[in-house]
Amino acid sequence: MKRIFLVLNLLILPFLINAQKQPWQGKFEPIDNLITPPSTYRTASGAPGRDYWQQRADYNIKASLDEKTKVLSGEETITYYNNSPDELTYVWMQLEQNVNKKEGESFGDAFGGVRDSISSLNMQYLTRAIEFPAGHTIKYVKNASGKDLKTLVNQTMMKVFLDTPLKSGETTQFQISWSYPITDRSMFMLSREGYEYFPKDNNAVFLIAHWFPRMCVYNDTEGWQNKQFRRLGEFALEFGNYNVEITVPEDHVVASTGSLQNEDQVLSKQQRKRLDEAKKSFDAPVLIITPEEALKNEQSKSSKMKTWKFKAENVRDFAWATSRKFIWDAQAHQFSDHVTMAMSFYPNEGLPVWEEESTKAVVAALEVYSEATFEYPYPVAISVNTSNIGMEFPMISFNGGRPKNGKISDMAKAGMIGTIIHEVGHNWFPMIVSSDERQWMWMDEGLNTFLHQRTVAEKYPQFSHTTPKSIVPFMNGNQDIMRPIMTSSDNELLTQFGANFYQKPTVGLQILRNSVIGKELFDQAFKEYANRWKYKHPNPADLFRTLEDATATDLDWFWRGWFFTTDKTDMELSQVKWFRVEEKDQNIEDQQKKTKIQVEGQDTKTVATDFSGGPEMITMTETPDNNYGGFLSRLDETQIRNNLSGKNIYEVTIKNVGGLVMPVTIEWQYTDGSSETDRLPAEVWRYNEYEITKTFVKDKEVKQVILDPNFEFADVETANNSFPKTEEASQFDKFKEKKN
């Protein structure tokens, strides 16, 4: 036994020494203490558990738009299903329009403070010098019997006290009457809905969202999700069925969530005919309302009203847009068991690019996202043109991007198309895979941007898209203000918002797909997550666990580093040593001379900076019998020597400077002009998270060694990734740029 222990001690001694040298950071330890523990509601595999439940809310809404006063009024009946195991004595509802009230928390400061030279628009953001009405007016809240229910409003949240406790498995119903003044979003930039005014023809496009009082989520991990709405953190909402009647001026056209129920009453005979043609057109859009008809319609200003009726099933929200300015086109897209109508609504100010590109981009998103997750289930997918925003809702999105004098730059066109793809893609995340946007915005924005960028890469390869290199400036930024991805959206700086919640999660998923797990296995696992949690409410833990469960890959090291810290990737190729094994019969005089220098009277080997000194010759001795312990068999040492004869042995030392552990990709460039690549998994850092040494045997002589040659891991410093080191970092950047 002593001999066995001696051998084991000799094997583990180097690791013990390294552990004593460096403080243990636990980069490979489980993240169980950082995420929601598994339960019968949410399993350790990342799937919904046998006791998983979620609430439901159905809505019947009647709304009317007063175009002159810009006031929207409505009445709604809510049927609320308590599927939880808990008895509820009150419920919480969202009143997002209250965020625009004067006494609400300021949003303007996010744009920066007072400056020596400041535009009047920026000053309006900061001071609200021009006052305007805003916020919900609640006329009444009544139970099913018509009795008033007590309510209390706290900013953007309304507490409704139930007259009798709502027990588990029971349903309650109540009615609400409300109104609010629609804000001019082009003047005040208060939110991503409102109206856009067109002075030339004295018309407006109304984008109606966050418009009706709606139920907050009540779930197993948070109870009531009733965080205040502060504009950037969006929504957590329950699924349900909607029946909505929208009354607008007779010459308006309405684009909406859901299926239009009364075509005969609101569309002309010619429009219905064109729409029927569009339902059979799978290759190109059909104009339902032409540009000429829209221009003519702008002049009508009807005083009569018309009601549009829509029905939507199993959605978590409802939004719509209306204007007399709309051009309308539509194209059919065939899925395995249904047809979806891709549609676009836009004013003449959007021509020609919107007619050429909008519906085409909608179809592109439908194709790629459906392949990557599950088929788009809804009857319509709508893109509405507006100025300088992108905002998503079930089946409909409001998308910026507009030419100037009929012309648009390539960059602006790419931005417009990317916005449409992104907002249509939100139908999957979070409109169906319904994560909590206010708490974990990256779960919808990051996952959606990941597929949005994949769609751009596949359908529009001429456009640039996010890669690991894109996130380097952010990750190499000021650590004092940087926050991890696992930060609530309301607590993130506006300057960091896009990079931290959109780009960084996207790059993280790209690294997993392309460089850690592999495309085929990752894609299957990502699809598994989407299908497990469609029409449900996943948390970060459910995503993390599903991707591990479906790939048989321990990814806790990745989640911990990429999502829970602000560490960065910076691997330094600190040393490469070149050896050859001395031939057994070689004379000592024939060995390669070893260069030495005197330091404080002691002989110390020179640290080579290139390969010009040639290899260091090393001897390989016979293995002592006691190294074998009790084993009687022996290695064929002659074969080992023969297999290494004439070979080049390279010992590579890599330091983890940035803190993030990542897989290691090493490119070997040989003196004959050829090259090859070795890939090491992230687990090579398990025993020492700060420095690793690896040995490679090569037939050819090496000219240069390069880490991360294809820039897969967002390494923030390329100047230390080569041996011999390049003269200037910029030269190495150019080398990588050429390879990419």
Side-chain angles (χ1 to χ4, degrees):
M1 289 293 291
K2 285 184 178 180
R3 295 181 67 187
I4 295 176
F5 286 143
L6 176 62
V7 172
L8 290 175
N9 285 334
L10 289 172
L11 290 173
I12 67 173
L13 183 59
F15 305 128
L16 294 176
I17 292 173
N18 283 329
Q20 291 170 357
K21 286 181 178 179
Q22 302 287 358
W24 180 249
Q25 296 269 326
K27 298 182 188 298
F28 284 92
E29 292 196 10
I31 62 169
D32 294 349
N33 63 324
L34 300 176
I35 58 177
T36 306
S39 66
T40 57
Y41 305 129
R42 299 166 189 270
T43 69
S45 70
R50 67 176 182 273
D51 295 326
Y52 177 82
W53 56 267
Q54 66 187 46
Q55 309 291 66
R56 179 181 181 86
D58 293 340
Y59 297 83
N60 288 318
I61 306 174
K62 294 182 179 181
S64 179
L65 171 66
D66 187 324
E67 188 175 25
K68 291 183 179 180
T69 63
K70 306 293 193 297
V71 171
L72 185 68
S73 304
E75 295 179 348
E76 64 186 87
T77 298
I78 302 174
T79 305
Y80 185 69
Y81 302 79
N82 183 15
N83 298 320
S84 79
D86 308 323
E87 181 177 280
L88 304 176
T89 58
Y90 58 82
V91 297
W92 280 100
M93 303 193 68
Q94 303 187 45
L95 303 178
E96 285 89 358
Q97 288 299 322
N98 285 357
V99 77
N100 294 330
K101 286 187 173 182
K102 185 176 182 179
E103 59 270 22
E105 296 182 18
S106 174
F107 181 54
D109 290 342
F111 293 93
V114 177
R115 299 180 295 278
D116 178 56
S117 178
I118 187 170
S119 71
S120 56
L121 184 59
N122 280 336
M123 191 58 101
Q124 171 67 14
Y125 298 158
L126 290 172
T127 66
R128 196 163 174 156
I130 299 177
E131 192 47 73
F132 53 91
H136 271 110
T137 296
I138 303 298
K139 298 178 182 177
Y140 63 75
V141 180
K142 299 178 181 292
N143 67 10
S145 301
K147 179 183 176 182
D148 287 335
L149 295 176
K150 180 182 178 181
T151 63
L152 290 174
V153 175
N154 178 13
Q155 298 181 60
T156 63
M157 293 291 161
M158 180 171 69
K159 189 176 186 179
V160 179
F161 294 86
L162 303 177
D163 49 354
T164 58
L166 184 62
K167 297 180 180 180
S168 176
E170 291 186 344
T171 301
T172 190
Q173 193 173 83
F174 48 94
Q175 294 88 36
I176 306 175
S177 178
W178 51 266
S179 65
Y180 73 89
I182 304 169
T183 54
D184 182 347
R185 53 168 302 274
S186 66
M187 291 292 289
F188 303 111
M189 290 292 290
L190 291 167
S191 54
R192 286 160 283 185
E193 45 73 45
Y195 70 88
E196 179 182 2
Y197 179 63
F198 293 79
K200 183 179 178 180
D201 52 271
N202 189 30
N203 277 300
V205 170
F206 293 87
L207 308 177
I208 307 300
H210 322 164
W211 55 290
F212 61 99
R214 49 197 180 156
M215 300 302 304
C216 296
V217 165
Y218 182 78
N219 66 19
D220 60 288
T221 56
E222 294 181 73
W224 284 108
Q225 206 301 46
N226 52 11
K227 292 179 181 292
Q228 295 293 336
F229 176 46
R230 296 184 175 91
R231 292 184 177 84
L232 291 180
E234 292 168 5
F235 317 107
L237 298 164
E238 301 288 10
F239 287 96
N241 295 335
Y242 287 74
N243 287 289
V244 180
E245 297 184 12
I246 302 168
T247 301
V248 295
E250 188 179 46
D251 50 3
H252 271 223
V253 177
V254 176
S256 175
T257 299
S259 299
L260 180 60
Q261 300 297 296
N262 61 336
E263 288 182 8
D264 292 348
Q265 298 173 19
V266 296
L267 300 182
S268 69
K269 183 177 180 180
Q270 187 178 45
Q271 289 168 349
R272 295 197 304 273
K273 180 181 177 182
R274 291 169 178 173
L275 188 57
D276 287 339
E277 292 175 4
K279 292 176 182 178
K280 301 174 185 177
S281 177
F282 295 92
D283 299 322
V286 173
L287 282 168
I288 314 302
I289 298 176
T290 68
E292 295 75 20
E293 291 166 345
L295 281 174
K296 183 179 179 180
N297 205 35
E298 288 179 0
Q299 305 168 13
S300 57
K301 306 291 193 302
S302 175
S303 59
K304 296 181 180 180
M305 304 294 281
K306 184 163 58 179
T307 298
W308 298 59
K309 298 179 180 180
F310 295 91
K311 181 178 181 180
E313 296 182 346
N314 209 18
V315 294
R316 56 169 246 166
D317 199 2
F318 194 102
W320 49 284
T322 183
S323 180
R324 61 176 57 85
K325 290 177 66 66
F326 281 149
I327 302 165
W328 176 13
D329 70 48
Q331 175 182 334
H333 185 73
Q334 180 69 57
F335 288 107
S336 62
D337 60 356
H338 68 281
V339 172
T340 291
M341 295 304 296
M343 298 180 178
S344 294
F345 293 77
Y346 44 95
N348 269 273
E349 286 79 0
L351 294 176
V353 66
W354 267 75
E355 183 177 353
E356 296 167 350
E357 299 291 352
S358 178
T359 299
K360 177 182 174 183
V362 173
V363 171
L366 293 177
E367 291 176 345
V368 177
Y369 279 76
S370 294
E371 175 63 27
T373 56
F374 48 80
E375 287 190 349
Y376 183 81
Y378 295 133
V380 296
I382 297 172
S383 170
V384 180
N385 177 234
T386 182
S387 60
N388 61 30
I389 64 165
M391 192 61 202
E392 72 279 1
F393 307 94
M395 306 187 217
I396 188 171
S397 56
F398 308 150
N399 303 310
R402 193 174 284 164
K404 294 181 179 180
N405 300 318
K407 297 181 180 180
I408 190 168
S409 68
D410 290 342
M411 181 177 294
K413 182 178 179 180
M416 182 202 87
I417 291 171
T419 298
I420 295 170
I421 290 170
H422 182 90
E423 305 308 338
V424 171
H426 270 305
N427 278 283
W428 282 265
F429 306 98
M431 300 304 159
I432 298 176
V433 183
S434 185
S435 55
D436 179 353
E437 299 175 76
R438 199 160 297 171
Q439 182 69 17
W440 306 116
M441 178 160 277
W442 68 266
M443 285 194 73
D444 69 285
E445 295 296 355
L447 272 61
N448 181 47
T449 303
F450 168 65
L451 289 185
H452 151 211
Q453 294 298 323
R454 182 170 159 185
T455 304
V456 172
E458 292 183 15
K459 298 294 185 177
Y460 300 90
Q462 71 273 28
F463 297 157
S464 62
H465 54 277
T466 296
T467 66
K469 194 167 188 176
S470 308
I471 200 64
V472 166
F474 169 71
M475 296 190 71
N476 205 29
N478 185 356
Q479 290 283 321
D480 293 335
I481 63 172
M482 195 176 295
R483 294 173 172 87
I485 293 174
M486 293 291 287
T487 299
S488 173
S489 55
D490 289 330
N491 299 326
E492 181 59 283
L493 294 173
L494 191 62
T495 55
Q496 311 275 302
F497 198 84
N500 210 26
F501 294 145
Y502 292 68
Q503 281 187 296
K504 189 177 177 184
T506 293
V507 170
L509 294 173
Q510 289 174 341
I511 290 173
L512 290 179
R513 183 176 189 249
N514 299 326
S515 305
V516 176
I517 296 172
K519 290 183 180 180
E520 183 177 7
L521 189 56
F522 176 89
D523 288 350
Q524 291 174 349
F526 193 82
K527 182 175 287 191
E528 180 71 24
Y529 166 74
N531 281 275
R532 280 180 175 182
W533 289 98
K534 63 182 177 181
Y535 304 115
K536 296 181 176 68
H537 300 309
N539 289 332
D542 304 315
L543 171 65
F544 296 157
R545 289 184 174 123
T546 293
L547 291 185
E548 293 193 11
D549 174 73
T551 62
T553 308
D554 181 0
L555 296 171
D556 281 16
W557 61 271
F558 188 84
W559 309 133
R560 179 184 292 276
W562 196 264
F563 284 82
F564 287 91
T565 78
T566 60
D567 290 346
K568 54 192 176 185
T569 307
D570 183 6
M571 289 183 281
E572 177 186 343
L573 185 56
S574 62
Q575 183 63 41
V576 179
K577 295 181 180 179
W578 179 16
F579 303 100
R580 280 185 183 157
V581 175
E582 175 193 348
E583 299 296 339
K584 196 168 186 180
D585 57 352
Q586 187 175 13
N587 294 326
I588 189 73
E589 295 83 6
D590 297 330
Q591 293 184 25
Q592 178 72 37
K593 293 183 178 179
K594 302 174 183 179
T595 306
K596 297 184 179 181
I597 60 174
Q598 294 291 326
V599 178
E600 296 181 355
Q602 296 182 1
D603 285 344
T604 307
K605 293 181 180 178
T606 299
V607 177
T609 58
D610 56 36
F611 298 114
S612 61
E616 178 181 344
M617 303 303 294
I618 58 175
T619 58
M620 191 176 78
T621 62
E622 301 289 337
T623 305
D625 283 345
N626 60 3
N627 281 17
Y628 288 100
F631 293 105
L632 300 178
S633 60
R634 296 292 183 268
L635 290 170
D636 186 340
E637 301 202 9
T638 300
Q639 182 182 358
I640 294 175
R641 184 178 294 279
N642 290 339
N643 288 349
L644 293 176
S645 177
K647 300 292 180 68
N648 300 287
I649 301 173
Y650 292 95
E651 183 186 80
V652 176
T653 301
I654 303 169
K655 292 182 179 179
N656 180 4
V657 179
L660 277 183
V661 293
M662 280 287 166
V664 178
T665 303
I666 304 173
E667 181 178 89
W668 307 87
Q669 293 187 352
Y670 298 114
T671 55
D672 67 358
S674 62
S675 64
E676 68 173 330
T677 301
D678 285 312
R679 305 181 69 88
L680 307 176
E683 284 74 12
V684 296
W685 299 97
R686 278 189 178 275
Y687 298 119
N688 187 334
E689 300 168 353
Y690 311 94
E691 182 177 291
I692 58 172
T693 300
K694 286 292 179 180
T695 304
F696 301 86
V697 178
K698 301 296 180 184
D699 293 328
K700 301 176 182 180
E701 291 187 10
V702 172
K703 177 179 65 176
Q704 188 169 45
V705 186
I706 298 172
L707 287 183
D708 193 14
N710 297 315
F711 214 98
E712 299 174 67
F713 305 110
D715 196 313
V716 301
E717 180 55 75
T718 59
N720 60 9
N721 284 20
S722 64
F723 186 93
K725 294 188 183 301
T726 54
E727 294 180 5
E728 297 179 10
S730 60
Q731 292 178 356
F732 191 53
D733 286 334
K734 291 177 182 177
F735 166 77
K736 281 196 170 181
E737 189 67 35
K738 184 177 179 181
K739 289 185 68 65
N740 289 333

